[in-house]
Amino acid sequence: MNSLDPHAYVEDRSPGTGRLRPRAAFTSDLPAIALDGDWRFRLASGLDDLTGDFATPDFDDTAWDMLAVPSCWQMTGLPGELRYGAPAYTNILYPFPVDPPRVPRQNPTGEYRRAFDVPDGFPASAAVLRFEGVDSAFAVWLNGIRLGDAKGSRLTTEFDVSAGLRPGRNVLAVRVHQWSSGSYLEDQDMWWLSGIFRSVTVAARGVEDFFVHAAYDHTAGQGTLAVDVTAPTRVSLSIPELGISDADPAGPHLIDGIEPWSDERPRLYSAELVSEAGERIPLRIGFRTVAVVDGVLTVNGRPISLRGVNRHEWHPLTGRNLTEDTMLADVLLMKQHNINAVRTSHYPPDHRFLDLCDEHGLWVFSEGDLETHGFEPGGWLRNPSDDPAWREAYLDRTARLVERDKNHPSVVVWSLGNESGTGANLAAAAAWIRQRDDSRLIHYEGDFASCAYVDLYSRMYIDVNDLSAVGRGQEAPTADPANDAHRRALPFVLCEYGHAMGTGPGGLSEYQQVIETHPRLAGGFIWEWIDHGIARLTGREDPHTFYAYGGDFGEEIHDGNFVADGLLFPDRTPSPGLVEYKKVIEPVRIHIDPATRQISVHNLHHVRDTGYLDFQWAVEDGGELAGSGRLTVPATAPGATTTVDWPTDVTAALDAARKNDSGDEVWLTVTATLAADETWAAAGHEIAWAQGQVVDPTVPPVPSTTTPAIAQDRDIALGPARFDARTGALTQLGDLELDGPRLDVWRAPIDNDLLSAFAEPQIGAWLAAGLHRMRHDVLSVEPDASGLTVTARLTAAGSASALGVVYRWTAGDGPEAGRTRLRLKCTVTPDGAWSVPLPRLGIVMSLPGTDAEVEWFGLGPGEAYRDSRTAARTGRHLSTVSAMQTPYVRPQENGNRHQVRRSRITTADGTLHITGAPVIDLTVRPWSTAVLAAAAHHHDLAGDGRLHLHLDHAHHGLGSAACGPGPSAADVLAAVPTVFSIEFSTGR
């Protein structure tokens, strides 16, 4: 460190001084002193505002605040008023001028002090001070002695304290800088937060380090074990289950009959290292071998398919500081939703999370604490990845990643980092890993053009057609023929896809179909696991919680709600996207064939047969249960398919349904659930399901009688309906007051409409066409002897393109005694040039109320759209209007129910029955589309005392365009001539 500038380390490219060599994370029975808790804290505005003598043991800090460690100081005070600065969110751009390695002089700096007692007998002469995570650079003093400084926010740092630690009172002083040269290497897509955000410990040190090498030979069923130990005294190894006792850890030990570790059977063997000095270190050893065989990713000799997610560490109140209970909640939710892999985007997580992955079974891509994305807008000029001055920092971060996590069987791939361009420093990091650990593969998406120093060909957000080409080995060649041959021999991984921002993502089932078709495709990771919303209160009067995003804290530059792009809402409630993903990636495929009366079960598992599942069947007639029972399916091996005939009781239930002659649809549903408790879910938890329609509905006859439309002053009467004679609007049906319907093509834009990484956002074309301001001009209202015809034109000011619409109303008796059906037939005819797709095509209407009971027969129970409907099953569903709203962090189009045959909306004023001919999309909201589109947060949504009904013929697909492809061609809603019909009636 420059002695003339005591703070030179802040901008020095060096990863730090005074630190100990990195080593594995492990527990020991040697004594340790936990320093988590309340520390004295002062936030300085910058380097010119520091407390000069704060590190001296007798410094009077009683006037300082108390701050919890671990924590992120910008999150202090939430959900109320912030106390120390504010969070800031950017996706790519640095929130300071790009002038590496310099950072602003006005650099918020946290000064921490903690007094602690060292008991008599504590081995102070062989002790270390361990920081698990400090953002972004820090310097440390113990009893006034400077121990050193460090960078690498999400990496463990240890200092030798043997020279300064003493029995009795000790004082630890830490200075943490928000910005440092290290910030240029930590431009991950997340909130910029600072502080000591992981645990701090003083620990006795005996065994320095160890490296468990536990391989598995699938041809012989044999494990090979060798443990490299670095220790001052002899160390022995014991594994009682394997008959190993007081053995030399180095072995190698050849062990027959080993049960290997995998995501499906995470077999861990309890072991112990014991030193001559008496130290005991518990181990959990998993045997497994990772390899590429003929271009296919394998573990233990069998191909694996990654059904993964990218996971940031996040909590809406504490930021990147997570409790172990929260980490466990993440792991259990992943397993319960059929997820089997995690990419630790874009840094090593708390090491306890990897312990949980070992225990419950998740493949892990453990990623380095590295991203320099903010250099891309400048053409990667001065990017550290290819600058020799940064080489030491890159190698240091790589070593600290690998050394800490090297003993986790769940870690099967090392990932160098993310979106850092290319360069010699990344190649050097890969070479270092190969020298240190050749038992795992190396990943880095940024090297996709050549794959010169990686073991996996990886891309993000490519479309389905390109993915299929890669699966067939028909991707475009690299510039270098040698690299091209190398890359074509590699497995392919979608390190990011299915951008889960807002409503969506759409198209996941298309991706999965392609992945399962081509062995080269090893699967991928959805971006991402959780919305990074920050919990805030709305105000002093009747405060309630909402979730803030970029720009809500007055940031100079920000990326808005791009930080809310997860499969979980900030409170860890699963979003519809996670429910969809669970169904799309289910590891068992069930198929029902009504023609042959057979059910097939295809097992997509890696090593597990289906014997752990219970299969059940249920027959429903119009949503009413007509029979159910257990289905006997022989245990099906991985990769195999079993076909069974329908049991006789299924046939009996179907026969009974036919005799019932309800005229409704009859569906057979088969489910696969856990037969016994697993570590991650209880018996009865559903893994997979399928449905088959076995009886088609009877089409009700069109009423043969006709009802005349009769003009009455300002109204027109048509059976039980009343229409406005001037506008043709339906104003009353029976005792229900109504307003509408009118043709509607606009939806509150979803994030995938507003943003696009690879093309112009869809919203631009929609706004240019005026679809958000279409005028509904009534041209004629014509009653006649058999009904009412209303002719209208939907167009925008300044536009020559229009949609002509003819509403044809008729009324007649329905199949229900005493109930007259009001039938609407809409004929839509485009006029002029229509080069843009429509957001939606249907009708909108309203009725009085703020909430209502909604029952429908169709897909449910959750929201579904044309390219995100795999998880919805056909049946009768019941909800309320309020419960049908999906609380995306930024309000947008949501809550659609797809392929609804019939519905019933019950308010205090009566019941409205709606029937599709044959199906419609149904949305019911307590606010209008205009209000929904204008809202930035949920507390902006104000109802108007009416329920707004959208009865749609079709929706434009959701896609993933916010950071990926838009909807596939089949899911684009073109403006073409269209006819659709809907029926209405009232009464219970």
Side-chain angles (χ1 to χ4, degrees), residues 13 382-395 423-425:
R13 294 178 182 86
R382 303 174 71 188
N383 181 24
S385 294
D386 204 32
D387 184 344
W390 294 90
R391 179 185 175 95
E392 181 187 3
Y394 273 62
L395 292 176
N425 294 335

Side-chain angles (χ1 to χ4, degrees), residues 51 140 300 369 725 838:
T51 306
V140 184
N300 303 328
D369 191 5
L838 301 177

Side-chain angles (χ1 to χ4, degrees), residues 823-911:
R823 182 179 178 88
L824 169 63
K825 179 180 179 181
C826 284
T827 302
V828 181
T829 306
D831 180 19
W834 279 94
S835 59
V836 299
L838 301 177
R840 71 183 337 139
L841 181 64
I843 58 172
V844 61
M845 57 193 297
S846 69
L847 66 162
T850 57
D851 204 352
E853 181 182 270
V854 183
E855 182 181 300
W856 73 98
F857 182 78
L859 293 183
E863 75 175 30
Y865 291 82
R866 64 191 296 168
D867 59 347
S868 181
R869 61 184 183 185
T870 309
R873 60 187 86 187
T874 302
R876 192 175 69 177
H877 308 284
L878 184 66
S879 186
T880 61
V881 171
S882 57
M884 293 172 75
Q885 313 309 304
T886 305
Y888 294 109
V889 170
R890 186 193 69 80
Q892 56 198 276
E893 163 64 38
N894 72 90
N896 184 67
R897 268 52 182 184
H898 191 51
Q899 294 186 347
V900 172
R901 283 74 154 165
R902 59 182 180 272
S903 63
R904 184 177 67 189
I905 302 171
T906 302
T907 71
D909 296 330
T911 298

Side-chain angles (χ1 to χ4, degrees), residues 344-368:
T344 67
S345 55
H346 298 294
Y347 44 83
D350 188 303
H351 66 87
R352 294 173 296 173
F353 177 77
L354 298 180
D355 291 336
L356 296 169
C357 293
D358 291 343
E359 179 181 348
H360 298 286
L362 289 166
W363 307 116
V364 175
F365 279 38
S366 189
E367 191 151 272

